[in-house]
């Protein structure tokens, strides 16, 4: 059984179709990279998976559990949406850390709220796990710093630790280096590479083609809200079969020259 199965997923904003008949699966421990030009639907796909947007149709299954079925009219309560989101950890382009909390407090926040809602105890365990995650990101010496005291790369690594704090089934990255200076991009990519080596299940929307090729097990190229091509990253990126994929990569390569 696939860890994640997405079938016929659709999403429109008014008259604009943003996702059209999206189909893909992924196994536990896989890293999937999603590439494509701006406006191709990559971020909307992540937002639909994470229930930041509600799809208009299709299905989403995680570990055989149907999280969304567009054929069944339903209104989700906030608690239901919160439970569905627990399957996915989201790392945004712009970090989205709470400025009033330290790095450690940012990582502890979601598990602490979940603990309080459930009526359980375990604050010491939450703190130890947050410290472990910050140490994994190379940031234990910055645990007491506030976001404004951290570099962009450090803030993004805190955001990754925060996304991991609830032990999601799938970690989602929405162009995690796009807001960073080139000098800081490498430190974030290094962390994601290490996560991939440890077989963390990830979906990575990225404009870093070499990174998408080298880190992922599967690459997906999207255009116009559709999956145009998917498969082995080296084949998709170095030897694409579809003309639209070829044009995108040729344009990308010209921009890098």
């Amino acid at each position: 059984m696939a860890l994640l199965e997405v079938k016929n997923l659709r999403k429109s904003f008014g008259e604009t179709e943003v996702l059209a008949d999206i189909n893909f699966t992924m196994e536990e421990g896989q890293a999937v990279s999603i590439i494509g030009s701006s406006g191709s639907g990559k971020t909307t796909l992540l937002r639909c998976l994470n229930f930041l947007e509600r799809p208009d149709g299709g299905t989403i299954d995680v570990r055989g559990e149907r999280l969304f079925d567009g054929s069944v009219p339903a209104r989700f309560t906030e608690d239901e949406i919160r439970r569905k989101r627990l399957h996915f950890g989201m790392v945004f382009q712009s970090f989205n850390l709470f400025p009033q909390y330290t790095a450690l407090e940012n990582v502890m926040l979601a598990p602490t709220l979940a603990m309080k809602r459930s009526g359980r105890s375990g604050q010491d365990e939450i703190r130890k796990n947050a410290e472990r995650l910050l140490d994994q990101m190379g940031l234990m010496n910055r645990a007491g710093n506030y976001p404004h005291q951290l570099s962009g790369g450090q803030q993004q690594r805190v955001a990754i630790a925060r996304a991991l704090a609830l032990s999601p089934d799938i970690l989602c990255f929405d162009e995690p280096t796009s807001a960073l200076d080139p000098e800081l991009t490498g430190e974030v990519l290094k962390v994601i590479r290490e996560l991939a080596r440890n077989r963390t299940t990830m979906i990575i929307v990225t404009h870093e083609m070499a990174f998408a090729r080298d880190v992922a097990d599967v690459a997906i190229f999207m255009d116009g809200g559709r999956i145009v091509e998917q498969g082995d990253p080296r084949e998709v990126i170095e030897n694409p079969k579809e003309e639209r994929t070829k044009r995108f990569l040729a344009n990308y390569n010209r921009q890098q020259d």
Side-chain angles (χ1 to χ4, degrees):
M1 178 188 299
L3 172 63
L4 172 66
E5 187 168 10
V6 176
K7 288 185 177 180
N8 309 120
L9 201 68
R10 305 188 309 280
K11 177 66 180 176
S12 295
F13 294 110
E15 297 298 314
T16 304
E17 188 177 52
V18 182
L19 296 177
D21 201 32
I22 298 294
N23 294 274
F24 73 97
T25 63
M26 65 185 299
E27 306 296 330
E28 190 158 9
Q30 275 192 326
V32 173
S33 60
I34 304 180
I35 61 173
S37 57
S38 297
S40 61
K42 307 183 302 297
T43 293
T44 301
L45 173 56
L46 288 190
R47 290 177 65 84
C48 285
L49 293 177
N50 200 46
F51 291 89
L52 294 169
E53 301 285 352
R54 184 188 171 99
D56 297 324
T59 59
I60 302 171
D61 295 271
V62 175
R63 298 191 187 279
E65 176 189 354
R66 180 138 299 175
L67 301 186
F68 177 80
D69 187 343
S71 68
V72 180
R75 281 186 174 275
F76 299 131
T77 67
E78 283 300 315
D79 281 344
E80 287 172 329
I81 291 174
R82 196 177 292 117
R83 284 195 297 271
K84 293 172 188 293
R85 283 180 181 158
L86 290 175
H87 294 283
F88 300 91
M90 190 79 166
V91 180
F92 300 91
Q93 298 180 31
S94 53
F95 323 139
N96 288 9
L97 299 178
F98 291 99
Q100 70 272 33
Y101 296 133
T102 65
L104 182 63
E105 290 167 342
N106 265 281
V107 178
M108 291 176 62
L109 182 60
T112 298
L113 292 174
M115 179 192 68
K116 289 179 178 178
R117 281 193 294 267
S118 69
R120 300 192 310 268
S121 59
Q123 191 70 6
D124 288 345
E125 185 177 329
I126 289 172
R127 185 183 185 90
K128 287 178 182 177
N129 187 53
E131 290 174 342
R132 178 186 64 79
L133 288 168
L134 284 177
D135 188 50
Q136 183 181 344
M137 299 296 126
L139 289 172
M140 195 53 219
N141 63 331
R142 297 289 189 175
N145 288 91
Y146 292 89
H148 75 272
Q149 298 171 313
L150 303 172
S151 70
Q154 289 169 338
Q155 289 185 60
Q156 192 62 295
R157 283 185 280 155
V158 173
I160 295 170
R162 179 183 61 183
L164 288 167
L166 287 171
S167 302
D169 292 303
I170 302 165
L171 190 58
C172 299
F173 293 89
D174 184 13
E175 299 196 7
T177 61
S178 65
L180 299 177
D181 294 334
E183 290 182 351
L184 301 177
T185 295
E187 65 186 66
V188 173
L189 295 183
K190 180 181 178 182
V191 167
I192 302 174
R193 287 180 193 276
E194 186 61 29
L195 291 171
R197 278 194 289 270
N198 291 334
R199 306 305 293 170
T200 303
T201 309
M202 297 184 289
I203 301 174
I204 309 163
V205 168
T206 183
H207 58 276
E208 303 277 350
M209 294 301 119
F211 178 72
R213 178 197 64 205
D214 296 341
V215 168
D217 301 291
V218 176
I220 292 174
F221 170 65
M222 290 184 64
D223 183 61
R226 299 179 183 273
I227 293 178
V228 175
E229 189 165 352
Q230 61 180 306
D232 180 270
R234 290 195 174 274
E235 287 298 309
V236 172
I237 293 172
E238 295 183 352
N239 188 32
K241 296 179 175 62
E242 301 295 329
E243 284 302 318
R244 181 63 189 95
T245 317
K246 292 176 183 178
R247 291 199 305 273
F248 167 76
L249 290 167
N251 184 55
Y252 173 84
N253 290 330
R254 281 196 299 272
Q255 291 175 356
Q256 302 307 300
D257 291 340

